[in-house]
Amino acid sequence: MGDQGFVCRGCGQRHEGLPFSYGAQAPAYWRDELGSDGRSLLDDETCIIQAQHYFVRARLVIPVLDADVDFDWGVWVSLSRDNFRRTLDLWTTPGREQEPPYFGWLSTQLPVYPVDTLNLKTEVHTDRVGTRPHVILEPTDHPLAVEQRTGITMERVQEIAELILHPGT
């Protein structure tokens, strides 16, 4: 599959390339003023809020049924303090993908769904060193969980791109 462009239904213009990945820079609970709080930290892969709430950056993968690549949401997931510490302890350890999954709460609001995505129950699966963990949602009837289980089409990938490019239209 080549780098596809598409004619956007939001603006009528042609956009080059169709993104298969979007990501959040921080958990939904992060606020800029926390950057000056000595008990809080936000970096590329982890986040701590007031030494009480712990998050890791992860991938929520959705199969694309009529493409050779998957769609990937870059999300944040909360972990317990113990599981967060374990994740950090194993960060550079080969074989860490053998670790059992951790329970977490989805901590990213994905704007393209008609219902809230915050606090969906997840399993956080550690992947090999150098790869972000991946998230499996609890099998509910939430539209995001359904898409993860059943897959989406290229038409839905384009719809997501249009919604991200032109929110509120």
Side-chain angles (χ1 to χ4, degrees):
M1 183 177 78
D3 186 29
Q4 296 183 347
F6 65 100
V7 176
C8 181
R9 293 172 284 214
C11 67
Q13 300 296 311
R14 178 167 177 76
H15 296 285
E16 294 306 318
L18 184 57
F20 278 74
S21 180
Y22 298 93
Q25 297 302 310
Y29 308 104
W30 180 261
R31 301 289 174 256
D32 288 340
E33 58 270 13
L34 291 168
S36 61
D37 176 353
R39 301 169 302 148
S40 299
L41 165 79
L42 174 65
D43 65 26
D44 290 342
E45 305 299 327
T46 62
C47 178
I48 301 170
I49 296 179
Q50 298 182 321
Q52 295 179 15
H53 307 282
Y54 305 90
F55 307 89
V56 294
R57 201 169 194 175
R59 300 171 7 244
L60 195 155
V61 179
I62 299 176
V64 181
L65 303 172
D66 52 351
D68 295 332
V69 296
D70 293 328
F71 185 86
D72 192 325
W73 285 112
V75 297
W76 291 85
V77 182
S78 69
L79 294 177
S80 70
R81 180 175 47 193
D82 289 344
N83 287 341
F84 183 78
R85 285 181 179 161
R86 179 85 176 144
T87 297
L88 294 182
D89 288 346
L90 296 175
W91 199 258
T92 59
T93 303
R96 69 182 192 165
E97 62 274 14
Q98 303 304 316
E99 186 76 0
Y102 306 129
F103 175 80
W105 297 100
L106 188 63
S107 300
T108 300
Q109 179 62 45
L110 299 175
V112 301
Y113 293 94
V115 290
D116 205 348
T117 59
L118 285 177
N119 296 318
L120 294 175
K121 292 179 181 180
T122 71
E123 285 186 348
V124 181
H125 295 260
T126 305
D127 284 324
R128 70 185 188 284
V129 172
T131 304
R132 286 187 177 133
H134 71 276
V135 173
I136 305 293
L137 294 173
E138 177 184 50
T140 66
D141 62 353
H142 188 284
L144 178 58
V146 171
E147 286 184 348
Q148 188 177 46
R149 276 194 317 277
T150 64
I152 60 175
T153 63
M154 287 292 293
E155 183 177 340
R156 175 66 173 147
V157 174
Q158 179 176 333
E159 178 184 338
I160 290 169
E162 292 166 347
L163 291 166
I164 296 288
L165 288 170
H166 305 290
T169 58

